[in-house]
Amino acid sequence: YREEGFLDAQVVSDSIWYSDDKRGMFIHITVDEGARSYIRNIVWKGNTVYPDSVLSSRLGFERGDVFNETRFEENLKGNKDQTDVASLYLDTGYLRFFAQDERLRVAADSVDVVITVMENNKSRIGHVVIRGNTKTQDKVIRRGLYTWPGDYFSRSAIIRSIRELATLNYFNPETIRPEPQMVNDSLVDIIYNVEERSSDTFNASV
């Protein structure tokens, strides 16, 4: 329902009962769908780095569009293509970026969306630490990283680094976990946690 714009949809009541022979069960659910919601206005507040037009383009909604809640949340905070609003900030150093939306009902079928942005300061990378490698040397791992001390923080660079480490086949890809740790308002350390794969082999012949 939320993906189809029915923001007020809810289950009003439900009941369950057995058939007379106790071999069957009946389930009755009453739903109130409400009216489909369309976007009237999108208002941005607090943004100083990027203009409203750029943020709205990333959000991907225009006046009159059905309010698809799932697509809205993804395009604001994180989608698989990294074309969302948050990626625009997180890929250019704004590690502490935050966005909060408020939906104002202006008619039975229309909503205004007010999005408040907190940009905060840009963060540079301090130390890049590698943990968990017992056989693979740090320098081998660092060759595959796209995060370097002194660079601005970038979420896309971390994602590329994770993919590169996974292609080495030295580590369990499911356990590669980066941990950004804030040092101060403008400096962040990045810790890569890895788990070595067993590469030992044993051959025998008779």
Side-chain angles (χ1 to χ4, degrees), residues 156-170:
S156 63
I158 291 180
I159 293 174
R160 290 179 64 192
S161 298
I162 294 173
R163 291 172 179 168
E164 189 67 24
L165 293 179
T167 60
L168 294 176
N169 289 324
Y170 296 155

Side-chain angles (χ1 to χ4, degrees), residues 11-17 26-31:
V11 175
V12 177
S13 63
D14 62 87
S15 56
I16 301 174
W17 68 94
F26 300 92
I27 302 175
H28 181 83
I29 301 174
T30 302
V31 177

Side-chain angles (χ1 to χ4, degrees), residues 163-183:
R163 291 172 179 168
E164 189 67 24
L165 293 179
T167 60
L168 294 176
N169 289 324
Y170 296 155
F171 312 107
N172 183 350
E174 297 180 357
T175 59
I176 300 175
R177 292 182 295 104
E179 295 181 9
Q181 292 188 354
M182 295 299 303
V183 178

Side-chain angles (χ1 to χ4, degrees), residues 116-128:
T116 302
V117 171
M118 295 181 63
E119 297 170 336
N120 294 307
N121 298 329
K122 297 181 74 171
S123 298
R124 289 188 181 273
I125 298 173
H127 295 96
V128 178

Side-chain angles (χ1 to χ4, degrees), residues 5 17 20 37 39-40 42 44 46 48 61 81 93 101 117 125 130 136 144 151 157 161 175 191 194-195:
W17 68 94
D20 293 338
S37 298
I39 292 178
R40 191 182 72 166
I42 297 176
W44 296 92
T48 60
F61 285 86
D81 298 322
D101 66 279
V117 171
I125 298 173
I130 302 167
T136 308
D151 288 350
S161 298
T175 59
I191 302 171
V194 298
E195 180 184 277

Side-chain angles (χ1 to χ4, degrees), residues 119-153:
E119 297 170 336
N120 294 307
N121 298 329
K122 297 181 74 171
S123 298
R124 289 188 181 273
I125 298 173
H127 295 96
V128 178
V129 181
I130 302 167
R131 293 177 179 170
N133 54 316
T134 56
K135 292 178 291 185
T136 308
Q137 295 183 9
D138 283 8
K139 64 181 182 180
V140 176
I141 300 174
R142 292 185 188 279
R143 286 201 294 263
L145 300 181
Y146 293 89
T147 51
W148 295 91
D151 288 350
Y152 281 115
F153 176 87

Side-chain angles (χ1 to χ4, degrees), residues 18-181:
Y18 291 99
S19 60
D20 293 338
D21 60 4
K22 305 299 183 183
R23 298 175 62 87
M25 177 181 288
F26 300 92
I27 302 175
H28 181 83
I29 301 174
T30 302
V31 177
D32 180 10
E33 296 178 335
R36 191 190 299 268
S37 298
Y38 298 86
I39 292 178
R40 191 182 72 166
N41 295 309
I42 297 176
V43 179
W44 296 92
K45 292 183 177 181
N47 53 305
T48 60
V49 179
Y50 299 104
D52 294 1
S53 58
V54 172
L55 299 182
S56 293
S57 176
R58 284 266 179 155
L59 191 62
F61 285 86
E62 297 182 357
R63 184 184 180 93
D65 286 351
V66 172
F67 195 105
N68 182 325
E69 187 173 71
T70 300
R71 187 163 68 90
F72 177 86
E73 291 290 338
E74 289 178 349
N75 288 356
L76 179 62
K77 300 178 180 178
N79 59 35
K80 62 180 181 179
D81 298 322
Q82 298 178 48
T83 57
D84 53 281
V85 173
S87 291
L88 187 64
Y89 281 94
L90 293 173
D91 289 344
T92 53
Y94 292 93
L95 173 59
R96 296 187 298 145
F97 163 82
F98 178 77
Q100 180 66 46
D101 66 279
E102 182 182 6
R103 303 156 194 185
L104 307 175
R105 178 71 66 183
V106 292
D109 62 348
S110 300
V111 293
D112 283 350
V113 183
V114 179
I115 304 174
T116 302
V117 171
M118 295 181 63
E119 297 170 336
N120 294 307
N121 298 329
K122 297 181 74 171
S123 298
R124 289 188 181 273
I125 298 173
H127 295 96
V128 178
V129 181
I130 302 167
R131 293 177 179 170
N133 54 316
T134 56
K135 292 178 291 185
T136 308
Q137 295 183 9
D138 283 8
K139 64 181 182 180
V140 176
I141 300 174
R142 292 185 188 279
R143 286 201 294 263
L145 300 181
Y146 293 89
T147 51
W148 295 91
D151 288 350
Y152 281 115
F153 176 87
S154 171
R155 184 171 69 178
S156 63
I158 291 180
I159 293 174
R160 290 179 64 192
S161 298
I162 294 173
R163 291 172 179 168
E164 189 67 24
L165 293 179
T167 60
L168 294 176
N169 289 324
Y170 296 155
F171 312 107
N172 183 350
E174 297 180 357
T175 59
I176 300 175
R177 292 182 295 104
E179 295 181 9
Q181 292 188 354

